[in-house]
């Protein structure tokens, strides 16, 4: 890979990483301009915009002089689980309010405690990522199970099916990545970088599916409007 | 180094296998869900077809009843009046002519009433309250029954076709009471919103035996078609109670 190319505006990076940033940018722009009626899609859009800001901040930190930007990624580790918990729980037909509150409390307190007291600010909070990823995989599988109980609507046009699929792929990939992370770090840097591309490819798929979900929601909204107006 | 290479191969192969399994799982899930979705759609269209069929059947039965009623009215009432007029006109004295004029007026009035009854859209103009009241009056006019109608709540069905089905259910219940109950008193009670009770003090029946027949099943199916629930309770020697719970509007 040629690392000297300026592929994402003024920032030097390889093509795989650049494509990830372009996909994330498209998702962020779409999130800024789309006006969803559904509160959970709005949450997803806010989540995407937050990730975009975090990623751009991390890039700016590198550009300004190679500062340690791990603490910026740790912020993302903290915010993701409450957001995604709200989005997935909103889709369960029978509302589990108590369980939702419990998950929200646990997956807000745990990342904050890890950030402040255990792994710290300047170390990537892998513990939070691993536990959270397993939790998200289980939550999405429960959501898929609940989809089978409600066959009234086709999931082909259901944005939440794509959000669930994106999260499942992303977090299964994350669990695998972080499980073998220590092994990769011990090996040579080139192999580690090559392996980390897999995580970037998973990110491509994840954010592409998020884009698809937002577009579908917008399309469904327009169809409903057309049906209403006649 | 060789050991390291084997480890890499193992990790990458297992990672790829897990991700492939995941993709297979998602595709399989998509297929299973779509299969369930199409089965559900098929079931819905079958239910819709059955509903249409039942509605048509109910409408046909109502038309038949109307035609029967019209035929009877023409034969027994208008025909009789016209025969009287003919008799009067055989001997056209002033008194007979005046009598004939009055008979012609009556015939016109009866024909208008008949025409009103023949209007098949009558269901739109009549409320459930008016319908039950008119049915109560009809039964009361037979003379063998004490009929009570008490209404403390409202009964509403917005869909005209559903309303016709409900009329048919009520008429079927009345027919059953008249035919089989041997009752002296019939009560129509609306004690709460969207809940109609039809009570009689007849001989009652063994619910388990009668439920096997198609009459009660048909009544329940018809109620189910319009989103209502029909419950029957009966005790031999005491009477029968039919509760119809209409969907909340």
């Amino acid at each position: 890979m040629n690392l000297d190319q300026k592929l994402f505006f003024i920032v030097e990076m390889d093509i795989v990483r650049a494509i990830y940033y372009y996909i994330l940018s498209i998702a962020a722009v779409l999130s800024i301009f789309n006006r969803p009626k559904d509160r959970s899609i709005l949450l997803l859009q806010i989540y995407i915009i937050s990730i975009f800001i975090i990623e751009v901040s991390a890039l700016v930190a590198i550009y300004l002089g190679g500062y340690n930007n791990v603490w910026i990624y740790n912020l993302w580790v903290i915010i993701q689980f409450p957001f995604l918990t709200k989005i997935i729980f909103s889709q369960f037909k029978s509302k589990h309010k108590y369980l939702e509150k419990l998950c929200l409390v646990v997956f807000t307190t745990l990342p904050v405690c890890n950030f402040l007291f255990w792994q710290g600010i300047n170390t990537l909070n892998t513990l939070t990522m691993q536990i959270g990823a397993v939790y998200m995989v289980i939550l999405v599988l429960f959501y898929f199970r609940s989809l089978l109980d409600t066959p009234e609507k086709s999931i082909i046009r259901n944005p939440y099916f794509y959000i669930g699929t994106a999260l499942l792929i992303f977090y299964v990939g994350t669990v695998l990545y972080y499980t073998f992370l220590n092994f990769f770090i011990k090996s040579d840097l080139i192999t580690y970088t090559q392996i980390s591309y897999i995580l970037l490819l998973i990110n491509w798929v994840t954010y592409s599916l998020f884009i698809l979900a937002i577009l579908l929601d917008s399309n469904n909204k327009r169809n409903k409007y057309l049906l209403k107006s006649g | 180094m060789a050991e390291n290479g084997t480890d890499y191969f193992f990790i990458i192969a297992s990672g790829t296998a897990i991700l492939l399994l995941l993709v297979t799982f998602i595709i399989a899930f998509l297929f299973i869900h779509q299969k369930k979705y199409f089965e559900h759609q098929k079931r819905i269209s079958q239910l819709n077809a059955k509903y249409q069929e039942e509605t048509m059947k109910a409408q046909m039965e109502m038309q038949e009843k109307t035609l029967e009623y019209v035929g009877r009215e023409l034969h027994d009432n208008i025909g009789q009046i016209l025969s009287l007029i003919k008799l009067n006109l055989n001997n056209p004295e002033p008194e007979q002519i005046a009598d004939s004029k009055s008979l012609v007026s009556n015939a016109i009035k009866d024909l208008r009433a008949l025409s009103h009854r023949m209007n098949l859209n009558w269901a739109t103009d009549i409320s459930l309250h008016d319908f039950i009241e008119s049915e109560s009056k009809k039964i009361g006019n037979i003379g063998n029954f004490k009929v009570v109608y008490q209404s403390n709540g409202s009964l509403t069905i917005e869909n005209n076709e559903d309303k016709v089905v409900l009329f048919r259910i009520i008429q079927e219940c009345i027919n059953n009471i008249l035919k089989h109950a041997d009752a002296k008193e019939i009560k129509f009670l609306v004690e709460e919103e969207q809940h109609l009770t039809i009570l009689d003090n007849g001989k009652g029946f063994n619910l388990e035996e009668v439920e096997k027949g198609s009459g009660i099943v048909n009544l329940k199916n018809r109620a189910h078609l319009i989103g209502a629930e029909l419950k029957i309770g009966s005790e031999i020697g005491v009477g029968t109670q039919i509760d119809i719970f209409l969907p909340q509007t």
Side-chain angles (χ1 to χ4, degrees):
Chain A
M1 298 276 178
N2 183 4
L3 292 170
D4 297 321
Q5 280 180 305
K6 286 171 183 171
L7 288 169
F8 190 71
F9 298 99
I10 51 169
V11 186
E12 290 168 359
M13 64 178 70
D14 54 79
I15 186 81
V16 180
R17 202 169 290 276
I19 290 174
Y20 161 63
Y21 280 106
Y22 280 116
I23 293 173
L24 182 61
S25 306
I26 294 167
V29 170
L30 211 62
S31 300
I32 291 166
F33 290 106
N34 187 44
R35 293 275 172 274
K37 275 192 175 174
D38 192 332
R39 196 167 155 266
S40 300
I41 296 288
L42 182 70
L43 270 179
L44 177 76
Q45 292 183 189
I46 295 170
Y47 172 66
I48 290 170
I49 294 167
S50 313
I51 293 172
F52 180 74
I53 293 168
I54 286 167
E55 288 283 21
V56 169
S57 308
L59 277 183
V60 169
I62 295 169
Y63 184 73
L64 287 179
Y67 296 125
N68 182 0
N69 59 7
V70 170
W71 67 272
I72 301 174
Y73 283 111
N74 282 337
L75 284 179
W76 165 68
V77 174
I78 291 172
I79 65 157
Q80 63 180 318
F81 297 116
F83 265 100
L84 299 173
T85 300
K86 282 298 276 179
I87 293 168
I88 297 295
F89 266 98
S90 75
Q91 291 309 301
F92 287 118
K93 210 172 184 184
S94 49
K95 299 290 172 198
H96 310 281
K97 287 280 172 204
Y98 180 75
L99 190 64
E100 185 185 344
K101 275 181 191 164
L102 184 75
C103 291
L104 276 174
V105 170
V106 170
F107 285 95
T108 309
T109 319
L110 177 80
V112 171
C113 288
N114 192 23
F115 181 73
L116 294 176
F117 308 116
W118 301 321
Q119 286 191 293
I121 299 166
N122 291 318
T123 313
L124 191 62
N125 291 175
T126 49
L127 182 71
T128 309
M129 272 308 291
Q130 274 174 295
I131 296 171
V134 172
Y135 156 70
M136 281 313 300
V137 170
I138 294 169
L139 191 64
V140 172
L141 287 176
F142 270 110
Y143 166 60
F144 275 23
R145 175 73 190 82
S146 79
L147 276 178
L148 283 179
D149 294 333
T150 50
E152 295 89 4
K153 286 181 188 168
S154 166
I155 51 170
I156 301 277
R157 299 196 65 79
N158 181 356
Y160 291 96
F161 168 67
Y162 296 99
I163 295 171
T165 306
L167 295 178
L168 197 62
I169 292 171
F170 181 77
Y171 285 107
V172 167
T174 305
V175 170
L176 289 175
Y177 180 78
Y178 284 105
T179 307
F180 298 120
L181 185 68
N182 284 332
F183 179 83
F184 295 140
I185 288 172
K186 278 177 204 158
S187 64
D188 60 297
L189 189 68
I190 295 167
T191 314
Y192 169 63
T193 314
Q194 281 172 347
I195 293 292
S196 66
Y197 282 134
I198 294 171
L199 204 62
L200 279 172
L201 293 175
I202 289 171
N203 271 310
W204 285 14
V205 177
T206 305
Y207 291 102
S208 302
L209 285 168
F210 281 165
I211 290 172
L212 184 64
I214 294 170
L215 289 174
L216 264 176
D217 176 69
S218 158
N219 193 263
N220 290 350
K221 195 175 70 185
R222 201 165 43 245
N223 286 347
K224 268 185 199 167
Y225 174 76
L226 285 173
L227 275 174
K228 269 187 187 171
S229 60
Chain B
M1 189 67 196
E3 198 182 318
N4 215 8
T6 317
D7 286 347
Y8 276 133
F9 177 75
F10 174 73
I11 289 167
I12 291 168
S14 54
T16 312
I18 291 169
L19 284 175
L20 276 174
L21 266 174
L22 184 65
V23 172
T24 315
F25 164 76
I26 290 165
I27 293 169
F29 174 81
L30 191 67
F31 272 104
I32 293 167
H33 191 279
Q34 283 303 95
K35 196 181 160 208
K36 278 197 161 198
Y37 168 70
F38 288 125
E39 277 170 6
H40 183 262
Q41 292 297 104
K42 200 175 152 190
R43 211 164 44 242
I44 293 283
S45 40
Q46 275 170 351
L47 271 176
N48 270 340
K50 207 176 165 196
Y51 172 75
Q52 293 296 336
E53 193 188 312
E54 283 292 323
T55 311
M56 284 282 283
K57 225 160 92 182
Q59 278 177 341
M60 289 289 282
E61 279 175 31
M62 294 207 71
Q63 269 183 346
E64 265 174 40
K65 291 240 172 235
T66 313
L67 285 171
E68 220 179 276
Y69 171 76
V70 170
R72 214 170 42 238
E73 279 289 300
L74 285 174
H75 180 265
D76 299 347
N77 189 11
I78 313 285
Q80 203 182 20
I81 293 171
L82 290 174
S83 302
L84 276 173
I85 294 168
K86 191 186 166 193
L87 276 175
N88 281 341
L89 293 178
N90 282 341
N91 184 18
E93 294 296 319
E95 201 183 317
Q96 270 77 17
I97 289 171
D99 196 24
S100 297
K101 271 184 184 171
S102 156
L103 283 169
V104 168
S105 299
N106 277 347
I108 290 168
K109 210 169 84 183
D110 287 352
L111 270 173
R112 275 196 187 134
L114 195 59
S115 153
H116 184 71
R117 288 282 300 181
M118 280 179 74
N119 184 2
L120 289 176
N121 292 326
W122 62 279
T124 42
D125 306 327
I126 189 166
S127 69
L128 282 164
H129 169 81
D130 292 341
F131 176 78
I132 298 166
E133 202 167 39
S134 106
E135 291 297 308
S136 311
K137 273 184 191 163
K138 265 198 233 168
I139 307 164
N141 287 341
I142 301 170
N144 297 339
F145 305 96
K146 185 187 169 196
V147 186
V148 178
Y149 174 40
Q150 279 173 1
S151 176
N152 300 320
S154 66
L155 297 172
T156 319
I157 283 194
E158 278 161 16
N159 185 324
N160 204 32
E161 286 173 346
D162 290 354
K163 211 189 216 180
V164 173
V165 173
L166 183 65
F167 289 168
R168 188 72 201 109
I169 291 170
I170 295 169
Q171 282 179 328
E172 188 72 33
C173 293
I174 294 168
N175 275 342
N176 287 340
I177 295 171
L178 299 182
K179 276 187 196 167
H180 311 293
D182 206 9
K184 293 284 169 225
E185 189 175 69
I186 303 171
K187 282 182 183 173
F188 296 90
L189 309 172
V190 184
E191 285 176 335
E192 56 183 22
E193 299 292 307
Q194 303 291 81
H195 177 193
L196 168 69
T197 307
I198 304 171
L199 274 167
D200 72 67
N201 64 347
K203 58 185 179 189
F205 55 86
N206 185 335
L207 203 59
E208 281 178 18
E209 278 176 21
V210 177
E211 259 183 342
K212 287 174 195 163
S214 63
I216 289 179
V217 176
N218 275 346
L219 275 178
K220 285 187 174 175
N221 281 346
R222 280 185 184 180
H224 183 69
L225 280 172
I226 59 169
E229 193 188 355
L230 189 140
K231 284 182 180 170
I232 300 177
S234 189
E235 201 175 323
I236 292 171
V238 178
T240 304
Q241 177 171 339
I242 300 168
D243 288 289
I244 303 170
F245 299 92
L246 299 182
Q248 295 297 324
T249 48

